[in-house]
Amino acid sequence: MPPASGIYVDGEWVESSTGETTGVEDPATGETVGEIHVASASDAERAIEAAVGAQAEWAATPGPERGAILRRTGELLAERKDGVAETLTREEGKTLAEASGEVQRAVDIFHYYGEKAREIGGTVKAASSSEKRLRTEKEPLGTVSLITPWNYPIAIPAWKLAPALATGNTAVLKPATVAPGPSRAIVECLAEAGLPAGVANYVTGSGSELGPVLTEHEDVDGVSFTGSTVVGTGVYQSAAADMKRVQCEMGGKNPTVVAPSADFEAAVEAVGAGAFGVTGQACTACSRAVVHEDVYDEFVSAVADYAESLTVGSGLDDVDMGPHVTADELESTLEYVDIARDEGATLVTGGGRPSDDDAAAGHFVEPTVFADVESDMRIAREEVFGPVLAVIEVSDLDEAIAVANDVEFGLSASIFTQDLSETHAFTDRVEAGVAKVNEKTTGLELHVPFGGYKGSSTNTYREQGDAAIDFFTSTKTVYLNY
């Protein structure tokens, strides 16, 4: 096992002040694959102080120079892609193919914002006088706290860190403790690329210990969080108490509507991939298939066949689906299976742990499909965060959209149809921040805004693309008379 990973403060890897470490477990085997230092509140304060101290010089660094460091970071990350992907699989559990794709996503994000740093500026507007010039400028917020989850342990840190640094902010990143290795690789690459000391800092440890400092500290100017709705709501309320800028992306209960005119095989493939890809541990995972009665029975049979065709095992092997990240996540999914049965839903396939001996040590669960689900059942309303699909029968598009909207979340939603009128009705009326047509609910383009409605987001600022630039900057209007 490698030595314990320290925290990164003011350009140095150091031990935490507590001297405590905690293990990182491979969810497929139960083996301890690493250790991290458990930072204290005082460590988080030191990291913020370092970021504040570095902020003025970093903000004054020309955008192209900042961008060059980000591009070099992407290049270094690409060189380490295979090793980082393996670390991601060993810590988080997703398949090696999924992990490799996620690392590539992080590479692409750093390349994208490396180029965006060249064009961060403002606008020129017509003034009311011939001897006046009127323009806007974008300025960095200052120092920002970035709190990221375990389910995309390199992509999400990348899409927060890269725009924050591109716009001249300094940052303190706190990743989830169960899968910290991939985000550590980002920080290592940033340092090797020439990022000045203090600009990016990295602390690992308990959210209950570090969270209040990162969200409430008077020198923190902005907070970006991704995680559960319960925790995100607390983060928002805590950070907004002194008028900090806050952005929280949270849970989902994402539907795919299947109309009678749909390309049936494509719909089955997309729902299956959206429900069971990354073990269903994605905020955009498809957890509800809302299917027209004309194709309902056929769809239930086909998507169950899809689920049964998937191989489950260690992500390092040639499998289709890896384990849950922790025993608690596995137990939560199994509890929802019991809840669905008790409520009267029909278990079509899955619902338990794989029976083979190789799976005994890991947090494995079978891809699961429930039919005869009513929209008021908990299995249709609450975020399971596992490979469990609820199939709901509807009689027309109006009912399908009503069912799709009848939850507290509104992150991603899709429809499969060949009817243009249905396409427009769905995208106009569905209550989701991401609306897709003939495409799975998961998967995002990195240059367009991402975020949700209702309980899926604080509905303040979006992430990714130009929206991230907007979040991490303040606008100054300049009146120049001469």
Side-chain angles (χ1 to χ4, degrees):
M1 185 177 68
S5 298
I7 61 175
Y8 188 72
V9 178
D10 205 14
E12 294 184 359
W13 290 101
V14 296
E15 293 186 0
S16 65
S17 62
T18 66
E20 298 177 10
T21 62
T22 187
V24 179
E25 179 187 280
D26 183 338
T29 65
E31 174 189 2
T32 299
V33 294
E35 281 189 319
I36 57 170
H37 279 266
V38 179
S40 66
S42 64
D43 291 322
E45 290 172 352
R46 285 196 297 129
I48 292 169
E49 290 169 4
V52 171
Q55 205 281 316
E57 185 175 350
W58 181 243
T61 301
E65 187 175 334
R66 296 196 299 262
I69 293 174
L70 298 184
R71 287 196 304 278
R72 180 58 181 153
T73 299
E75 293 167 358
L76 291 169
L77 196 56
E79 292 171 5
R80 305 177 191 186
K81 179 178 176 179
D82 291 345
V84 176
E86 183 173 334
T87 297
L88 199 161
T89 293
R90 287 189 182 278
E91 292 185 355
E92 197 271 347
K94 63 183 59 172
T95 69
L96 200 55
E98 291 168 339
S100 181
E102 184 180 339
V103 177
Q104 185 59 52
R105 173 63 170 240
V107 171
D108 294 342
I109 287 168
F110 274 97
H111 287 164
Y112 173 79
Y113 283 107
E115 294 303 315
K116 291 295 289 183
R118 292 179 173 274
E119 59 183 57
I120 296 169
T123 59
V124 176
K125 298 293 186 180
S128 57
S129 167
S130 62
E131 296 181 347
K132 178 188 292 187
R133 295 294 181 266
L134 193 58
R135 71 175 190 270
T136 65
E137 298 175 353
K138 287 186 176 294
E139 298 183 341
L141 292 181
T143 293
V144 295
S145 295
L146 312 176
I147 303 172
T148 60
W150 50 260
N151 62 324
Y152 284 92
I154 193 165
I156 294 178
W159 81 45
K160 293 182 188 294
L161 258 176
L165 300 182
T167 49
N169 297 277
T170 54
V172 179
L173 170 66
K174 195 207 90 64
T177 57
V178 297
S183 57
R184 176 188 170 95
I186 290 178
V187 177
E188 291 172 340
C189 290
L190 282 166
E192 187 174 338
L195 190 73
V199 173
N201 303 271
Y202 174 87
V203 292
T204 51
S206 164
S208 60
E209 174 76 8
L210 303 180
V213 178
L214 296 175
T215 59
E216 298 172 12
H217 196 287
E218 63 181 2
D219 289 331
V220 169
D221 302 295
V223 178
S224 181
F225 166 88
T226 299
S228 71
T229 299
V230 171
V231 176
T233 300
V235 166
Y236 180 76
Q237 293 171 343
S238 174
D242 64 350
M243 307 297 283
K244 287 180 175 63
R245 184 172 294 187
V246 191
Q247 168 193 73
C248 295
E249 295 304 335
M250 302 180 288
K253 192 65 182 175
N254 311 294
T256 297
V257 173
V258 182
S261 66
D263 180 327
F264 187 80
E265 292 183 359
V268 171
E269 175 71 25
V271 169
F276 309 127
V278 297
T279 319
Q281 297 177 137
C283 55
T284 56
C286 176
S287 58
R288 296 180 293 156
V290 183
V291 185
H292 192 277
E293 60 190 8
D294 290 353
V295 293
Y296 180 82
D297 291 339
E298 183 183 3
F299 182 87
V300 169
S301 177
V303 81
D305 288 344
Y306 181 99
E308 292 168 359
S309 74
L310 300 177
T311 55
V312 179
S314 169
L316 296 176
D317 298 330
D318 187 19
V319 298
D320 299 308
M321 193 179 88
H324 266 303
V325 68
T326 64
D328 287 345
E329 291 294 329
L330 170 62
E331 184 60 32
S332 175
T333 292
L334 295 176
E335 286 177 4
Y336 270 107
V337 170
D338 291 339
I339 289 168
R341 284 169 162 161
D342 292 344
E343 289 185 324
T346 301
L347 178 62
V348 182
T349 190
R353 303 196 63 190
S355 58
D356 58 286
D357 294 337
D358 291 340
H363 310 311
F364 296 100
V365 67
E366 298 167 323
T368 301
V369 177
F370 278 99
D372 304 318
V373 176
E374 301 294 333
S375 62
D376 61 350
M377 293 180 177
R378 290 180 63 188
I379 196 70
R381 304 187 67 80
E382 299 176 10
E383 187 176 38
V384 177
F385 223 66
V388 178
L389 176 68
V391 190
I392 303 170
E393 184 176 6
V394 293
S395 59
D396 56 32
L397 182 66
D398 287 340
E399 184 182 2
I401 294 173
V403 168
N405 291 340
D406 189 26
V407 291
E408 66 172 299
F409 303 102
L411 188 53
S412 181
S414 69
I415 186 171
F416 274 78
T417 179
Q418 299 299 315
D419 186 315
L420 190 59
S421 296
E422 289 183 337
T423 294
H424 287 298
F426 177 81
T427 57
D428 286 349
R429 293 162 52 193
V430 72
E431 296 169 358
V434 177
K436 296 186 171 186
V437 178
N438 297 325
E439 189 173 339
K440 63 184 179 180
T441 56
T442 53
L444 303 165
E445 299 278 358
L446 62 84
H447 59 293
V448 292
F450 170 64
Y453 294 172
K454 298 186 285 190
S456 292
S457 172
T458 47
N459 289 295
T460 48
Y461 289 83
R462 295 295 191 237
E463 296 194 279
Q464 304 194 129
D466 289 333
I469 302 296
D470 291 339
F471 174 74
F472 287 111
T473 57
S474 292
T475 299
K476 175 182 288 183
T477 302
V478 177
Y479 293 76
L480 175 60
N481 288 280
Y482 61 94

